Amino acid sequence: MNTVANVEDSGYLHDPEVQLMLRAKKGDDDAFSKLVVAYQDRLTTIFFHMTQNQEAAEDLVQEVFMRIYRARHGYQPNAKFSTWLFRIANNLAINAHHSKVRRKEIALPTGESSSQNSIHPDDRLLAEKSAMTPTRQLDKRELQAVVQQAMDQLNERQRLTVLLHRFEGMSYQEISDAMELSVPAVKSLLSRARDTLRQALEPYMQMGK
Amino acid sequence: MEKSVRLSAEQRDDLVAYLDGELPDEQARTIDQIIARSEVARHEVEALARTFELLDVLPTIRASDDFATRTLTSLKVMEAPFVLTDQWWFRYLVRTATICCWIVALGGSAWLGFEITRDWIPDRNEEILRDLPIIENLNKYRDAGDIEFLRQLKFSGVFEEPQEK
């Protein structure tokens, strides 16, 4: 009874996506497909910048939706839908990262660092070429490669925090809810991440202007 | 102006939060003052802001055109109830079971047919066994000649044991 009352009192019921999810919970598959369409590109973008691979990114996005779909019968609107979705995405990204690290430990016991391996070879070449001549005008693709390489220097949590902030425009509070961290922890992660990026991108600062 | 003032780790964290508009008013005013006083802080803020601007070059990625369809189909498959006849192996199971049934049916028919028809064909050995007592005494029967003669001998009392006195 209390739970029902709490749900009814919840401010999140005004969230249209929560409404869609509640409809999906009752078996409305059209509502669920609307959520898939609404979030597919947003999640693909986040996972792409985590994995550097479109196919892997889409597999992870699909897994997020599968987890949500499986959990729909027990869904309670205790947060914004996007917070819940990105919490699942965060867990999945961490698990995927751990699996990737384990696979690399088996495949490449004395190989290069993971950040270097995760970059597409063409982009790495572009980034290396650009690093030799940082003062010349870089084209957009080169600049993207440089920024991506800088992003790859961040650890998984820092990168996800930056991506959620940059692409989703999420506040520190929303990121902390999604990543199950405290707000000061998010603040610290973003600060460290921005500092690392600043050091990596300093030679290219003028290009972004 | 304090040009060479070094920022603490906490102040650096605050600078980033300040740029993101995440600092409470009071702390934001403090940062305003630090920036106004310190060229180092000002430079730091500008560098951090430009860094974040550079992230704008990262592309937004579109999912494949058939992504939603693929995903929703996968969900349907995942949720579909288990239908025995829809399983890929069911066809093979039915075929194997049919073959087994035919083998059992043919074997059973063969056995039944054998049981039914084996009495129709006389068994030579059984005939010999049945006639064995006659065969064993065949020489005696030949010596006797015919049955009428034996019957007369029996009535005449030849075969009776003499009574002991």
Side-chain angles (χ1 to χ4, degrees):
Chain A
M1 196 68 185
N2 273 344
T3 312
V4 173
N6 287 344
V7 169
E8 283 172 357
D9 290 345
S10 162
Y12 301 112
L13 285 177
H14 301 296
D15 179 356
E17 287 161 354
V18 166
Q19 288 297 329
L20 285 174
M21 192 60 214
L22 287 171
R23 278 169 52 196
K25 181 182 178 177
K26 288 178 185 164
D28 183 345
D29 285 346
D30 283 343
F32 192 80
S33 70
K34 281 179 185 162
L35 288 170
V36 172
V37 171
Y39 278 93
Q40 59 180 13
D41 291 344
R42 293 161 69 176
L43 280 171
T44 303
T45 298
I46 300 282
F47 282 126
F48 177 82
H49 290 300
M50 301 288 286
T51 61
Q52 290 304 299
N53 180 308
Q54 171 104 18
E55 201 179 331
E58 287 191 9
D59 285 348
L60 287 168
V61 177
Q62 196 167 59
E63 182 61 30
V64 169
F65 286 122
M66 283 195 170
R67 287 189 184 192
I68 289 175
Y69 195 73
R70 274 197 291 261
R72 72 192 185 285
H73 296 303
Y75 174 70
Q76 294 293 334
N78 299 324
K80 276 173 72 179
F81 175 76
S82 59
T83 305
W84 184 49
L85 178 129
F86 283 113
R87 189 178 299 162
I88 292 169
N90 171 50
N91 291 334
L92 208 57
I94 289 168
N95 291 344
H97 174 67
H98 289 163
S99 312
K100 192 171 140 190
V101 167
R102 273 197 297 275
R103 277 200 303 275
K104 277 194 177 152
E105 278 171 356
I106 294 164
L108 287 171
T110 55
E112 297 170 277
S113 72
S114 61
S115 63
Q116 279 177 312
N117 285 326
S118 61
I119 303 170
H120 189 279
D122 289 348
D123 288 347
R124 198 189 305 166
L125 270 177
L126 277 173
E128 282 165 3
K129 188 174 133 196
S130 306
M132 287 187 279
T133 56
T135 49
R136 76 179 171 83
Q137 192 68 35
L138 302 183
D139 68 27
K140 194 178 175 190
R141 192 156 169 244
E142 284 177 309
L143 196 56
Q144 277 179 356
V146 165
V147 174
Q148 188 58 58
Q149 197 171 40
M151 285 286 286
D152 288 336
Q153 289 180 22
L154 306 179
N155 65 37
E156 292 293 310
R157 286 196 158 188
Q158 286 175 339
R159 202 181 316 164
L160 187 58
T161 316
V162 169
L163 291 170
L164 290 177
H165 191 250
R166 160 69 186 80
F167 284 105
E168 289 298 315
M170 290 170 81
S171 68
Y172 286 15
Q173 182 62 58
E174 287 169 330
I175 295 172
S176 80
D177 290 341
M179 294 182 70
E180 295 176 300
L181 296 169
S182 65
V183 172
V186 171
K187 184 177 158 185
S188 178
L189 274 175
L190 273 172
S191 173
R192 302 283 171 278
R194 199 87 70 93
D195 205 36
T196 305
L197 291 173
R198 185 181 62 78
Q199 286 171 30
L201 296 173
E202 201 135 39
Y204 310 96
M205 291 285 182
Q206 298 307 313
M207 318 295 170
K209 280 189 170 179
Chain B
M1 192 178 288
E2 305 163 51
K3 283 188 180 178
S4 59
V5 167
R6 290 188 67 82
L7 297 169
S8 66
E10 196 180 339
Q11 282 173 327
R12 278 171 173 277
D13 288 355
D14 281 351
L15 279 186
V16 173
Y18 171 82
L19 283 171
D20 293 336
E22 291 275 352
L23 269 192
D25 287 347
E26 197 178 326
Q27 278 174 277
R29 274 196 295 275
T30 310
I31 294 293
D32 279 336
Q33 288 167 6
I34 292 173
I35 292 170
R37 282 204 316 265
S38 165
E39 202 174 308
V40 172
R42 216 162 31 244
H43 175 75
E44 191 76 12
V45 167
E46 282 169 13
L48 288 170
R50 282 204 301 274
T51 302
F52 211 58
E53 281 169 18
L54 269 182
L55 295 184
D56 287 344
V57 302
L58 288 176
T60 302
I61 310 295
R62 279 180 55 81
S64 314
D65 291 339
D66 63 342
F67 177 82
T69 313
R70 267 192 295 123
T71 302
L72 295 167
T73 307
S74 302
L75 295 175
K76 290 268 181 249
V77 170
M78 185 181 78
E79 287 285 301
F82 182 82
V83 180
L84 186 69
T85 52
D86 289 347
Q87 305 307 309
W88 65 269
W89 45 263
F90 186 76
R91 199 158 44 98
Y92 298 103
L93 183 73
V94 168
R95 192 177 295 171
T96 309
T98 306
I99 290 168
C100 288
C101 285
W102 273 109
I103 290 170
V104 169
L106 286 173
S109 300
W111 176 78
L112 193 65
F114 171 75
E115 285 294 316
I116 290 169
T117 57
R118 74 175 176 178
D119 288 339
W120 298 353
I121 302 166
D123 186 333
R124 192 80 189 119
N125 292 330
E126 278 188 12
E127 278 181 13
I128 290 171
L129 280 174
R130 193 181 62 221
D131 296 340
L132 186 61
I134 296 169
I135 292 166
E136 283 174 342
N137 295 302
L138 193 58
N139 289 335
K140 290 178 185 169
Y141 296 143
R142 277 200 184 122
D143 291 343
D146 66 44
I147 193 80
E148 191 53 37
F149 175 66
L150 286 174
R151 192 173 290 123
Q152 284 174 4
L153 281 176
K154 185 183 176 187
F155 288 133
S156 68
V158 172
F159 299 131
E160 286 173 10
E161 293 285 325
Q163 286 182 347
E164 287 183 11
K165 289 182 181 177

